[in-house]
Amino acid sequence: GKARYAGTAVEEALPVVLLGNDDRVETPAGVHPHVIATDHPIVANLRAEMPALLGYNRVMTKPSAELVVGVGEDPLIAAGTFGRGRSVAFTSDCGPHWCPPPFVSWDGYATMWHNLVRWAAGG
């Protein structure tokens, strides 16, 4: 489904700026994410290179947030704060479509999501 959160309260809470237009970036040949903030807890204990994704949503990291993982020249994972809490954006799918079976079966997949949720929850 499509959602248009640019300019809404949802966007205000996110560590990224959403585009007001169609932000889909389809990469059928695949694009490999690259860790930028190697010391961030979200990417702790990820030993293997991330497999290719088939697409993502183009956004911009807010100046107050940290770009943790990039894809192409865009954010894949950005982390920041909102009020007294934390906020994270993952700009692709978490299951098959843009996130194909090799990504879902990657040995770092569960670790990445565990780290992401744990960090966002304040752990």
Side-chain angles (χ1 to χ4, degrees):
K2 290 184 181 181
R4 301 248 187 245
Y5 295 112
T8 70
V10 171
E11 180 182 28
E12 185 179 333
L14 293 173
V16 295
V17 175
L18 305 175
L19 305 178
N21 57 351
D22 186 357
D23 61 1
R24 293 174 293 175
V25 178
E26 301 276 350
T27 57
V31 62
H32 284 272
H34 50 281
V35 175
I36 303 218
T38 56
D39 60 343
H40 199 284
I42 291 175
V43 292
N45 301 315
L46 294 184
R47 288 177 244 132
E49 180 179 307
M50 292 181 175
L53 292 168
L54 303 179
Y56 60 95
N57 295 97
R58 180 169 284 136
V59 298
M60 297 181 311
T61 305
K62 288 181 179 173
S64 61
E66 183 173 10
L67 176 58
V68 179
V69 177
V71 61
E73 296 185 20
D74 300 312
L76 176 65
I77 300 175
T81 58
F82 182 71
R84 296 185 319 202
R86 294 176 175 179
S87 178
V88 179
F90 181 83
T91 65
S92 190
D93 292 338
C94 59
H97 177 57
W98 283 347
C99 191
F103 197 95
V104 175
S105 62
W106 162 53
D107 66 359
Y109 183 78
T111 300
M112 178 193 70
W113 283 110
H114 174 82
N115 290 350
L116 189 148
V117 171
R118 185 174 186 176
W119 181 84

